[in-house]
Amino acid sequence: MSSLHRLFYISRADEQLGHRGLAEILPGARRYNEAHGITGILNYDGAHYAQILEGPADELLKLMVRIYADPRHQETNPVSYTHLTLPTIYS
């Protein structure tokens, strides 16, 4: 089993997405995260995402690969990545 980590990243949102598009993709993202032991907090200001994710290190890595490949995220930049002893974000 992989150790628990927290990842914080920011990215520029695809200009075509908008709040309505985000609302359409959130249910699938929540299902994916729950199935992979990931919890998180997402902030979207209409132009940028800022997200904190917590979960097993290997699952966070797989999710970040997906995020980097997702055209709805541009200029994705990890801000911090830390080991946790206990989770701080609960679903």
Side-chain angles (χ1 to χ4, degrees):
M1 179 175 199
S2 184
S3 61
L4 183 64
H5 280 73
R6 177 186 303 130
L7 171 70
F8 172 42
Y9 77 89
I10 57 172
S11 65
R12 189 169 51 83
D14 179 346
E15 295 174 4
Q16 304 302 316
L17 182 65
H19 289 297
R20 172 175 266 159
L22 181 61
E24 292 172 1
I25 65 171
L26 279 177
R30 287 183 178 130
R31 282 190 301 274
Y32 178 91
N33 289 351
E34 185 175 333
H36 294 90
I38 298 170
T39 58
I41 299 170
L42 174 66
N43 183 57
Y44 173 63
D45 68 2
H48 298 89
Y49 300 105
Q51 188 165 34
I52 300 171
L53 298 163
E54 291 183 359
D58 57 339
E59 295 297 342
L60 290 179
L61 176 60
K62 291 176 195 174
L63 180 55
M64 281 309 295
V65 168
R66 290 171 54 113
I67 290 170
Y68 273 101
D70 188 333
R72 296 171 292 201
H73 291 271
Q74 301 166 4
E75 301 172 18
T76 302
N77 294 299
V79 175
S80 68
Y81 182 76
T82 56
H83 178 265
L84 299 175
T85 54
L86 296 171
T88 60
I89 301 172
Y90 299 92
S91 51

